[in-house]
Amino acid sequence: MCGILAVLGCADASRAKRVRVLELSRRLKHRGPDWSGLHQHGDCYLAHQRLAIVDPASGDQPLFNEDKSVIVTVNGEIYNHEDLRKQLPNHTFRTGSDCDVIAHLYEEYGEDFVDMLDGIFSFVLLDTRDNSYIVARDAIGVTSLYIGWGLDGSVWISSEMKGLNDDCEHFECFPPGHLYSSKNGGFRRWYNPLWYSEAIPSAPYDPIVLRQAFEKAVIKRLMTDVPFGVLLSGGLDSSLVASITSRYLATTKAAEQWGSKLHSFCVGLEGSPDLKAGKEVADYLGTVHHEFTFTVQDGIDAIEDVIYHVETYDVTTIRASTPMFLMSRKIKSLGVKWVISGEGSDEIFGGYLYFHKAPNKEEFHRETCRKIKALYQYDCLRANKSTFAWGLEARVPFLDKEFINVAMNIDPANKMINLDEGRIEKYILRKAFDDEEHPYLPKHILFRQKEQFSDGVGYSWIDGLKAHAAKHVTDKMMRNAANIYPHNTPSTKEGYYYRMIFERFFPQNSARLTVPGGPTVACSTAKAVEWDAAWSKNLDPSGRAALGVHASAYENQNNSVNKSIEFEKIIPLEASSVGVAIQT
């Protein structure tokens, strides 16, 4: 993938404007250090910073159709590009790039081709025959994208906010699953799955169907002409991704080029839960495992860089982005250009610990829908930008369109947590891969309690951030917080500290409006905070804020909570399987 920037319909077509576009495009160079390109057609500019993964020799952008009347700049991976090429027998392709199909699909199908793309993408397509253009973003928003408007009537598109914030009168996040058309003068949603309406599904749970759908999602992402690896924290999601990749790698084209030995990567504070669990899974799977440790001070020193690159002041995103940012730099230094990661599972299956308190299957399902729709503002934003800060791409198979359709069509009663029946969070995903004959993972890993990434790297990470913020933000500053920051007013010193840094980099009102707000507990939406009255007094995005649920919940509040959930007493999942023992 890459970084894109486009200026469409600007009043100035001078040499100075071209120089300015090049200057702004260079702000995205970290996303694509391998090559840069810029194409101007009249009052339109399409710029590109390339991270070469498929066809690195000839896939430079912008891309064109046969007579160069259609121009495309794209940040993405199109996993079904070979099948799409077969559907275009009368077209001649200039490169072997997976994104080369976009211009030709547009020629055949007009604006309605976007749903044919199986992958992740953000692109700008310019049709020079009538000077029209379309812009589109992938279904869930795995790729980052912003849109802005200039005083001269121009439309700006950029992979990151820093590419357009200084030159636009107003800008905002480009909505996932949408298309913007100059012919129609606005947005329309091209992605319309059944779950989007939040209607309650009723399909029965079939573990084999779920397993096969996820294996297919992982395998299709092994499309590469460059070295890659997997992020392995030792939690359920990353471990499943690593296990499937390891199991099927030898049968792929990637193995022919780079061998069948899988490299895995983990980050954490010395002695953290993730480092221990990650190594255990790596040893079980036989991967070439790389551990990276950091100190709390290392993380604190990186906070300003993280906020600049990730472009948010959301507390939980910054907490989790910092270790990922530090790890990505180390991974890139080893010559690896992309990794597979486990984002999205918790949103689809209700894996966050607060889902223990979901009152019924209807509210459980609606919350998963809300979480998936908001991913582009949280985990997708983190996974995309904290890795691309170092020119590293992250692929996320849990957010595969086909897999989401399968998983979100299951009757949510099957996803509900019921400890009396031994059903912990993400139970149906765990059971789908609970294969006695050919085990994917050790039992205790397959049924390990959920740890949010910012917790799993070491609990003292968050505690250290809070202590650091307390040194820089006074009580007096907090008393005046609502006057200084009336929108999304920080409620903690940690939040205030991040906000100060963000506003220094991105002072525009449009910038602060791109960041979500509202109360949250253990990464819940504001609506789910209503599930437990005690949570409104303990608003913190850490999983340890799920009082009475997390085995290491904040100790100073444990005594006041009615511990209706006792992990030490979880009954066996089945007579043939082991129970889950969580250390307290």
Side-chain angles (χ1 to χ4, degrees), residues 14 93 525:
S14 67
F93 296 91
T525 66

Side-chain angles (χ1 to χ4, degrees), residues 265-269 275 290-294 327 330-331 334:
F265 308 95
C266 187
V267 67
L269 302 177
L275 287 180
H290 308 265
E291 286 187 357
F292 306 119
T293 59
F294 72 103
M327 175 172 57
K330 291 279 192 178
I331 293 173
L334 297 175

Side-chain angles (χ1 to χ4, degrees), residues 349-365 367-368 370 415-419 423-426 449 521-522 524-525 527-538 543-550 553 557-558 560-567:
F349 294 101
Y352 293 107
L353 296 183
Y354 72 89
F355 275 94
H356 280 255
K357 299 294 185 76
N360 52 58
K361 74 173 188 178
E362 291 80 12
E363 191 53 35
F364 188 105
H365 179 72
E367 177 69 0
T368 60
R370 291 190 291 263
K415 298 180 182 179
M416 290 282 286
I417 298 158
N418 188 326
L419 298 183
R423 299 171 64 87
I424 63 175
E425 65 275 354
K426 294 188 286 193
Q449 184 187 31
V521 62
S524 74
T525 66
K527 179 67 176 175
V529 173
E530 300 172 8
W531 292 352
D532 190 317
W535 287 349
S536 63
K537 302 174 184 177
N538 187 54
R544 289 181 291 159
L547 303 177
V549 177
H550 196 291
Q557 293 170 311
N558 277 354
S560 65
V561 177
N562 177 18
K563 286 194 174 183
S564 59
I565 298 174
E566 296 285 348
F567 273 96

Side-chain angles (χ1 to χ4, degrees), residues 256-283:
E256 297 175 10
Q257 217 168 352
W258 304 104
S260 59
K261 201 69 173 174
L262 182 64
H263 286 252
S264 57
F265 308 95
C266 187
V267 67
L269 302 177
E270 195 72 46
S272 68
D274 280 2
L275 287 180
K276 180 181 178 182
K279 186 177 188 309
E280 183 177 3
V281 175
D283 289 344

